[in-house]
Amino acid sequence: MFAAAQPIETAERQVSSAETAPLVRTAVLLARVWELRDAQMVAILGGMQPESWRRWCAGRVEIVDRERLRRMALLRDIHVAIRGETTGVGPADWIRARQSALGGRSPLQVMTSGRIDDLIRLRDTFAPLAA
């Protein structure tokens, strides 16, 4: 008889601050472009510590977990997807405007839910616009 296969557990490699810095800078810039308050960005990024967000804004990048990296990559993708939609309105106004594609909610309301699935849904809803 064969023994049951045991999953091999491998340690996940930490991502260095040099690798995370570009996405952190992008997240900080998007917060400015979208005119978001610190509390909104903290919620969007998954409830991170406000002190960590302030360090990021000051250019002090630390090690970032993979989920937060994914959230920042989704924010970048959302920005690229909606760029054409914000012409004439401005990204800060558009992100706050109710969208029929979101059931009458604004993209900001969807993003600040704190759920990564909502970021994915938002990206997927507007990604065809960028194509």
Side-chain angles (χ1 to χ4, degrees):
M1 295 230 129
F2 294 104
Q6 297 295 319
I8 299 173
E9 293 189 28
T10 58
E12 198 171 273
R13 183 182 73 81
Q14 281 195 328
V15 182
S16 72
S17 60
E19 293 172 293
T20 61
L23 273 176
V24 170
R25 284 191 305 270
T26 298
V28 170
L29 288 171
L30 285 175
R32 290 180 189 150
V33 167
W34 291 339
E35 299 175 8
L36 301 179
R37 295 186 312 271
D38 289 351
Q40 291 169 314
M41 263 322 265
V42 164
I44 291 168
L45 292 172
M48 69 186 295
Q49 294 298 314
E51 298 80 26
S52 294
W53 173 248
R54 284 191 286 277
R55 282 193 299 272
W56 287 11
C57 290
R60 295 190 312 272
V61 180
E62 56 217 27
I63 292 181
V64 181
D65 64 67
R66 292 194 183 274
E67 181 184 336
R68 199 143 289 126
L69 287 171
R70 185 165 185 216
R71 287 172 180 272
M72 289 186 290
L74 286 164
L75 292 178
R76 179 205 55 217
D77 294 347
I78 290 165
H79 177 69
V80 168
I82 67 170
R83 227 181 319 182
E85 290 292 301
T86 62
T87 317
V89 187
D93 292 330
W94 190 89
I95 209 102
R96 288 168 174 76
R98 296 184 183 280
Q99 304 290 327
S100 59
L102 301 174
R105 296 174 69 201
S106 73
L108 183 58
Q109 288 173 311
V110 173
M111 288 190 295
T112 55
S113 74
R115 297 187 323 235
I116 198 164
D117 291 342
D118 284 341
L119 294 175
I120 293 167
R121 184 171 61 102
L122 186 59
R123 183 218 37 213
D124 292 348
T125 297
F126 295 103
L129 300 174

